[in-house]
Amino acid sequence: FCSFFVLLLLSAQPSPPVTETASRASRAAPLRSRRMIGGTLAPLVPWQAMVYLSDSVLTGGYAGGALISDRWVLTAGRNLFLRKSRQDTQGKNPLIPKVYLGISELAEAKPSREVAVERVVLHPGFQNQSDWDNDLALIQLKEPVVISDRVTPIPLPERGQDLADGAQGSGVIAGWGWGVYLNLASSLKHLLVPLANHSACKAEYEQSQLAPSVDDSMFCTGSTGRFQENVCFGDAGGALAVRDAQTGDVYAAGILSFDKPCSQHKYAVYMKLSSYLPWIHTVTRGDVPNSAAVRSSTMATMHSWQS
């Protein structure tokens, strides 16, 4: 977010108190300055992963990810490359990051919190036409993590769970993105952000060469209403967590891809996870190329033996 980070505070817990001095300073600051100090310190977010390449943005930095099972972390594919543009990534293998779970401070990124990585799987259509296409990667962990209050996966959307049906107009995202001094944050921050009109978001970036061409596999959020806080560089990979209006269930609606709104643009763009469930399930099941054919053949054989 713009101090620059976002996460979803899904419980009804209040935000940490703001001191009277800080409150006065915030009110006195010009709007642009307040925007660049956006976000609130986050509680421990049990599904939040730190996808770490280095401490410095010049050598990869660190970004967000979402634990979606005891063996898999989902993140933005661009997080796994030092240079992010399509011309720099095509034909290149992604870097293998360090992954830390159960932390909310950079200082906690210690060996005791690191989980070993087995492999990285980019979406097969990653950057097939532009820098932002299919911007997803799955990170397989070498060993299942122990699920606890500190480390808990966030569910993927289930059938019928889509933004039109159950997001209640907003979601929460957390991240370690760039702050006011253009450095990565040392503490996890979060924002509650409103879902944006898809057509308006698409129109906003339609003529831009530096932003996504927003399609049906993407959705957008806007800046906050109060101080116009927004996500910023380094927040990519974080999950936008929403609450289903009918059941109250919390799930990850999207993974942040276009994290460049900062104070310059209104809309952040996410990969819409309901559009990517077949790919995610195929990878996490461990399917090989002929798995579907084997299943179909077996089913046909069983049916034939009963006829």
Side-chain angles (χ1 to χ4, degrees), residues 123 125 127-136 162-163 196-206 211-220 257-258 268-276:
H123 189 279
Q127 293 189 334
N128 58 355
Q129 293 184 4
S130 78
D131 288 358
W132 311 100
D133 295 330
N134 307 303
D135 187 17
L136 288 175
D162 211 336
L163 297 179
N197 179 274
H198 191 272
S199 297
C201 179
K202 182 173 183 173
E204 176 77 13
Y205 295 136
E206 207 161 34
S213 176
V214 178
D215 60 28
D216 290 342
S217 65
M218 303 173 182
F219 70 87
C220 307
S257 173
F258 183 67
V269 183
Y270 302 73
M271 297 294 106
K272 186 177 181 182
L273 293 186
S274 59
S275 298
Y276 288 96

Side-chain angles (χ1 to χ4, degrees), residues 212-264:
S213 176
V214 178
D215 60 28
D216 290 342
S217 65
M218 303 173 182
F219 70 87
C220 307
T221 61
S223 55
T224 67
R226 189 177 181 191
F227 295 129
Q228 301 298 296
E229 300 156 310
N230 216 324
V231 299
C232 197
F233 303 106
D235 290 322
L240 186 80
V242 301
R243 192 187 298 275
D244 187 289
Q246 303 301 317
T247 66
D249 293 339
V250 172
Y251 65 95
I255 292 292
L256 178 61
S257 173
F258 183 67
D259 59 353
K260 297 176 172 43
C262 304
S263 60
Q264 303 301 315

Side-chain angles (χ1 to χ4, degrees), residues 182-195:
L182 302 184
N183 59 313
L184 288 163
S186 59
S187 299
L188 188 67
K189 300 185 80 173
H190 80 276
L191 280 177
L192 176 66
V193 288
L195 292 167

